[in-house]
Amino acid sequence: MPHITVDYTGNLADAFDRRGFATALHPLVAELIDTKVEACTTRFRRSDEYVLADGAPERALVLVRAAILSGRTCEAKARLSEAVLELLPKHLAPSPGLVVQTAVDVVDLDRASYRSRTEPAGER
């Protein structure tokens, strides 16, 4: 925790520095919601089939969803959303002709039922 999922349109595949974004994102998230970088995970999902607004192929999207343990204030979640929106353009190369929509959604994981474990592979 937090679990971060980044959906992005295929027309950004070459322009989006995903690894750079994730490695910059994790310390930012850790600082803003008081967790450890080691707890952060980010998964990227490319979508080659999408319709944005009027369906024009010049439209692109990056949607970040951060699932964090419940109990953070609305203000803390808003700060996280704003910080992620500021970070995203730094990892998107200029793409002439594209209009890129970026969005962030911070959702709560139920603290009472969420469980996680990290251990060496094959040891159980």
Side-chain angles (χ1 to χ4, degrees):
M1 186 308 296
H3 300 298
I4 302 160
T5 304
V6 181
D7 291 301
Y8 66 99
T9 53
N11 55 356
L12 289 174
D14 294 333
F16 187 16
D17 176 11
R18 296 174 295 280
R19 183 168 189 77
F21 175 68
T23 56
L25 178 63
H26 293 175
L28 178 69
V29 171
E31 176 186 336
L32 289 173
I33 65 165
D34 192 29
T35 190
K36 296 179 181 173
V37 171
E38 294 78 18
C40 296
T41 61
T42 297
R43 173 178 50 159
F44 293 91
R45 298 187 302 196
R46 174 182 166 161
S47 177
D48 289 316
E49 187 172 349
Y50 53 88
V51 177
L52 302 173
D54 60 3
E58 299 82 19
R59 296 192 178 274
L61 171 71
V62 179
L63 171 60
V64 179
R65 172 167 279 195
I68 63 174
L69 283 177
S70 58
R72 272 54 178 230
T73 65
C74 290
E75 292 80 12
K77 291 188 266 188
R79 280 193 303 274
L80 177 58
S81 293
E82 288 297 327
V84 174
L85 278 180
E86 285 183 30
L87 181 63
L88 265 169
K90 297 174 183 171
H91 298 278
L92 292 169
S95 300
L98 282 185
V99 175
V100 182
Q101 177 182 348
T102 56
V104 180
D105 185 20
V106 178
V107 297
D108 287 333
L109 294 169
D110 182 23
R111 191 176 288 271
S113 62
Y114 177 80
R115 300 293 182 271
S116 177
R117 177 181 299 159
T118 302
E119 55 194 28
E123 293 185 18
R124 188 108 210 226

